[in-house]
Amino acid sequence: MSTIELTQSQKSILQELVNLERESETTVTGKAIADQIDRNPGTIRNQMQSLKALQLVEGVPGPRGGYKPTLNAYNALDLQEMDEPASIPVSCNGEPAEEEIIQEINLVCVLHPEKCRAEVHIQGSVRDFRVDDILTIGPTPKSSLAITGLVEGVIHTDNKLIIRTDSMEAPVQ
């Protein structure tokens, strides 16, 4: 299957559509997407035409209409749908975060303590997180790894947080 190359604008709109559809479990209006990513609703409508042509979005007509992502949208964004995802606790600045589903944690520069980073891909929106928030993620299923660190970057188009790790702990076996 060939990979669909999306512009940053298309990717941002599609990611927000997926986030909002997961939260509401219903169709999403162009205005709702526009409000979240600070764009004009007309721009969203125009982009939705190209996303429909790429078979990433379907339009739902009527007074309760809007847009829904297709399975191709999840593939284009490299997202996985899980029936019963494992729950991983997340706390932000010492307070439990809304129930977040952690899709992936990539550790970068693990051998260099001052440069160790975690790229945390969240299944859902990262709009509630800010640079300089202190996050604790975990313990994870199976390994019981818990990561604590400072948010250095929030990448909305990928629902990803870049964390400078201060500690990584797992129980002693």
Side-chain angles (χ1 to χ4, degrees):
M1 181 175 157
S2 64
T3 305
I4 297 174
E5 289 294 325
L6 298 174
T7 66
Q8 275 303 111
S9 180
Q10 288 172 322
K11 190 173 182 181
S12 177
I13 290 167
L14 193 57
Q15 185 67 66
E16 195 57 43
L17 170 64
V18 168
N19 293 345
L20 291 169
E21 195 262 344
R22 282 179 172 161
E23 290 171 9
S24 66
E25 297 183 4
T26 185
T27 58
V28 178
T29 65
K31 182 177 179 347
I33 295 169
D35 289 347
Q36 288 300 324
I37 63 172
D38 198 26
R39 294 267 175 78
N40 183 298
T43 302
I44 303 301
R45 281 192 299 278
N46 292 339
Q47 288 287 348
M48 284 302 184
Q49 296 307 313
S50 63
L51 292 171
K52 281 199 270 187
L54 292 169
Q55 299 178 342
L56 299 174
V57 171
E58 64 182 59
V60 179
R64 295 187 187 266
Y67 303 99
K68 290 185 81 84
T70 65
L71 181 58
N72 292 340
Y74 287 89
N75 292 336
L77 294 171
D78 198 26
L79 299 174
Q80 301 160 357
E81 281 296 291
M82 296 177 272
D83 291 335
E84 299 273 336
S87 178
I88 299 173
V90 177
S91 68
C92 182
N93 299 320
E95 297 292 322
E98 292 292 319
E99 194 160 317
E100 303 292 349
I101 297 172
I102 306 298
Q103 183 165 318
E104 183 176 53
I105 301 173
N106 291 315
L107 299 173
V108 183
C109 294
V110 175
L111 296 176
H112 197 293
E114 287 85 38
K115 294 183 180 178
C116 187
R117 303 285 182 273
E119 294 179 356
V120 180
H121 191 168
I122 293 180
Q123 188 171 332
S125 177
V126 293
R127 68 177 151 297
D128 293 336
F129 298 99
R130 305 279 178 265
V131 170
D132 293 333
D133 281 347
I134 298 172
L135 285 189
T136 299
I137 299 168
T140 59
K142 301 246 183 198
S143 66
S144 298
L145 178 67
I147 299 171
T148 299
L150 186 74
V151 175
E152 290 191 330
V154 180
I155 305 170
H156 295 277
T157 55
D158 290 331
N159 284 348
K160 192 180 289 184
L161 301 172
I162 308 299
I163 300 169
R164 184 193 70 221
T165 58
D166 292 330
S167 71
M168 290 188 284
E169 299 175 12
V172 178
Q173 299 292 330

